Every structure is written in C-alpha cells, then in structure tokens.
C-alpha cells in the first residue's frame, strides 16, 4: 500500500479590517492597513492616502478625490472600517467650503437681477424704474421697440450688486451650516442603522467625510451657472451671438445631478460592505434616509432664503 503523505500547511490569518493575509508569527499591526491586532474593535485608524499626506504636510486632496471616485469593492471595505480622523475632517471641510461657495454662486445668479418689460401696468411694482438704491442699468433692447413685440417681453436688465453680495454671503453661511448638519444626520443615521453590537465601533465614520469628494462636480456646475448672467445681457442687448441661458442651466444641472447620483450610488456600495447581520438596514438607510435628508435640507434653503431676503432688502431700501 502507498503511504499517504501528510502535508502540513502553515496557518494563515487575515486582518479583520482589510482582509490582508498575515503569515505567522503574527505581527503587532497589519502590514497593509496598520490595524492593531490587540485592539478589540474591528475598525481601525485612518490610513487613506490623504491621511498619510496630511501627516507629512503634503498636498493630497486631488489624489484622495480620485481614490474615492474610482474605489472598488475591496477599497470600500477597507474604507468602511476606518474611524474618523483629523485628516478626514479636514478633507470634508475643504469640500464643504467648495459646496458652500457653489451655493453662493447659485444664489448670485438668482438675486439682484431684474428683467423689466416696457409696460409699467404689468410690472409687480407698477414701474419700470427702480425705486430703491444701488440699481445699475446693464442692458436694454434696441429702441424703438418693434410693434409686434409681446407686452410681457423683457426690454431692460437691472442689477443690484449689493443685493447679490448679501444673498451670496447669506447663502454661503447657511450652506455651511446646512451641509454640516446633513453630514451629522447621515452619520447618526448610519450609526443607528447598525445593530447594537456594531454601533460603538465607528464604522463608516471616515467614509462619510471622504464621500464629500462627490461634491466637486456640483461645485463645477455652480461655476458654469454663475456665468449665466452673460446670457441675460446678451439676449437683452441682442448681441450677434450669445449662448442661450438654457445651455448654462442644462450643463450645471447635468453636473450637479451627476454628483448627487454618484454620491448616492457610492453610499449604496459602501452599505453593501456592512456586516451581514446589519447590512439590510444600512443599505435601506443609504437608499432612502440619506437622500431624504438632503432633499429636505435643500428644500429648506430654496424656500427659506427668499423669506429672509425680501424683508431685509426692503429695510435696507434695496428693493426694486
């Protein structure tokens, strides 16, 4: 009879944080993610490329944004087990400032501009001339007006830079508070979506900060929308060529929608990395709860800011 050979294989272990294979003797820390094997928590410190660059005082914002955008499943699993850090908070702050600046630009294209028709009787104020201070006449349709022009067609463009600056500054401050509150509520929601055994581990806390990288396309869209007043003036003055306003609006909407949709999709993929016992709750929160928080906050800004502007401009004698 042929003797059976007994093959002894070395025992292998995996890092509970990133899944990296670790051969004996067991090191004190994982060679891939630096997880401390003596720590009872599964989650570990922030070891993203941005955290490493931050610790060395080097720039890493662009590289980290790309690291987030093109993250595969294994990278997301790795990121989901990192706890929030000074580096992740700084990365989020930079992107929150960009989003707030984008909201300021958006409001600057809405507030302070006034298109006026040629008939005072159809104007809300009963006049085609501003009664308040600070208004500048930017553009006008060529005179005399064609007799077949519709009465509601705008023929003059007025701009109040003081209104625009006040609205932009107010929107920027409100945006900072609103975005910070959104991140806080999403973080609390993620924590509650995990069942009790996992709630104290700080799962996905750093990932929430790094997910703000998807705000960059939204900011680019706001910059494009900030150029739309050029269309107001060009159309009014009948320039030989002027890009239609819908071009600016459509480009901005595509970029903003892309950023929001990809953030939502990215969170769904992140939720799929949660432990099996709580995965359904986490995915459900990311699918419904997180976008609902964003929509409610955006609605509050959209309808709330004009309620502040109107009495403020009337008090400062800036109303049209």
């Amino acid at each position: 009879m042929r003797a059976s050979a007994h093959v002894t294989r070395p025992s292998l272990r995996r890092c509970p944080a990133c899944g990296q294979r670790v051969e004996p003797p067991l090191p004190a820390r994982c060679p891939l993610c630096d997880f401390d094997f003596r720590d009872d928590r599964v989650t570990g410190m922030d070891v993203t490329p941005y955290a490493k660059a931050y610790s060395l005082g080097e720039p890493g914002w662009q590289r980290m944004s790309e690291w987030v955008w093109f993250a595969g499943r294994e990278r997301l699993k790795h990121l989901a087990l990192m706890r929030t850090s000074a580096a992740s908070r700084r990365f989020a702050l930079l992107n929150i400032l960009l989003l707030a600046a984008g909201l300021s630009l958006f409001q600057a294209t809405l507030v302070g501009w006034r298109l006026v028709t040629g008939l005072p009787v159809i104007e809300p104020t009963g006049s085609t001339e501003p009664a308040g201070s600070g208004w500048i006449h930017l553009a006008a349709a060529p005179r005399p007006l064609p007799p077949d022009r519709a009465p509601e067609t705008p023929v003059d463009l007025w701009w109040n830079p003081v209104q625009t600056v006040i609205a932009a500054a107010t929107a920027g401050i409100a945006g900072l508070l609103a975005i910070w509150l959104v991140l806080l509520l999403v973080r609390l929601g993620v924590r509650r979506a995990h069942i009790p055994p996992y709630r104290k581990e700080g799962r996905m806390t750093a990932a929430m900060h790094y997910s703000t990288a998807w705000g960059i396309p939204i900011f680019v869209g706001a910059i494009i929308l900030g150029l739309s007043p050029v269309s107001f003036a060009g159309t009014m003055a009948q320039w030989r060529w002027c890009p239609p306003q819908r071009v600016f609006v459509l480009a901005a909407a595509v970029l903003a929608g892309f950023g929001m949709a990809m953030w939502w999709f990215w969170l769904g993929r992140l939720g799929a990395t949660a432990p099996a016992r709580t995965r359904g709750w986490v995915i459900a929160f990311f699918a419904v709860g997180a976008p609902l928080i964003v929509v409610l906050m955006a609605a509050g800004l959209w309808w709330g800011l004009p309620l502040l502007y109107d009495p403020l401009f009337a008090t400062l004698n800036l109303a049209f």
Side-chain angles (χ1 to χ4, degrees):
M1 296 179 61
R2 183 175 60 181
S4 61
H6 179 71
V7 179
T8 302
R9 294 183 178 179
S11 60
L12 293 176
R13 288 191 56 181
R14 290 184 179 273
C15 172
C18 66
Q20 172 72 13
R21 288 190 175 189
V22 181
E23 298 183 2
L26 188 67
R29 293 181 176 274
C30 173
L32 177 62
C33 68
D34 205 33
F35 174 78
D36 188 351
F37 287 103
R38 297 164 295 186
D39 193 340
D40 292 336
R41 293 177 297 180
V42 172
T43 52
M45 60 186 291
D46 184 354
V47 289
T48 59
Y50 186 78
K52 295 178 181 178
Y54 178 74
S55 66
L56 298 174
E58 299 175 352
W61 174 78
Q62 179 179 350
R63 180 186 175 193
M64 187 62 200
S65 298
E66 296 172 353
W67 196 85
V68 171
W69 295 337
F70 301 107
R73 177 176 173 80
E74 293 302 319
R75 186 181 297 174
L76 286 174
K77 289 171 62 178
H78 186 36
L79 182 59
L81 292 171
M82 295 183 198
R83 296 190 294 270
T84 185
S85 66
S88 69
R89 286 190 290 268
R90 178 176 175 79
F91 183 85
L93 176 61
L94 294 174
N95 290 323
I96 289 174
L97 290 174
L98 284 181
L99 285 170
L103 181 59
S104 293
L105 281 173
F106 175 61
Q107 286 294 300
T109 64
L110 297 178
V111 181
W113 304 89
R114 186 66 177 244
L115 293 169
V116 181
T117 65
L119 297 177
V121 293
I122 66 174
E123 288 297 315
T125 60
S127 173
T128 59
E129 300 282 335
S133 60
W135 289 92
I136 301 173
H137 190 219
L138 284 186
R143 269 34 175 212
L145 297 174
D148 58 345
R149 179 182 290 269
E152 64 275 9
T153 302
V155 295
D156 289 289
L157 174 63
W158 293 85
W159 178 48
N160 192 315
V162 179
Q163 274 198 14
T164 300
V165 170
I166 291 176
T170 304
I173 296 172
L176 281 174
L177 296 175
I179 298 166
W180 174 83
L181 184 57
V182 165
L183 285 178
L184 177 62
L185 292 176
V186 171
R187 179 174 174 177
L188 292 176
V190 171
R191 186 175 185 274
R192 293 295 300 176
H194 284 87
I195 60 178
Y198 303 112
R199 288 178 183 170
K200 295 183 179 180
E201 295 181 332
R203 289 174 179 265
M204 302 183 183
T205 51
M208 290 298 97
H209 286 157
Y210 289 121
S211 71
T212 58
W214 289 110
I216 297 173
I218 301 176
F219 174 69
V220 176
I223 293 177
I224 295 175
L225 190 63
L227 301 174
S228 61
V230 175
S231 178
F232 298 160
T235 302
M236 183 69 59
Q238 296 186 5
W239 292 348
R240 180 172 300 179
W241 182 85
C242 178
Q245 185 187 6
R246 62 178 177 272
V247 173
F248 296 100
V249 174
L250 181 60
V254 168
L255 285 169
F258 172 78
M260 287 301 303
M262 292 305 299
W263 177 73
W264 186 33
F265 178 65
W266 191 89
L267 289 182
R269 295 174 59 215
L270 182 71
T273 68
R277 294 170 59 192
T278 194
R279 187 175 301 151
W281 290 107
V282 176
I283 292 177
F285 172 75
F286 282 145
V288 180
L292 181 61
I293 292 172
V294 173
V295 168
L296 291 176
M297 197 62 64
L301 291 174
W302 177 259
W303 280 291
L305 288 175
L307 296 177
L308 175 64
Y309 297 151
D310 293 340
L312 178 60
F313 295 154
T315 302
L316 297 176
N317 192 31
L318 297 173
F320 190 82

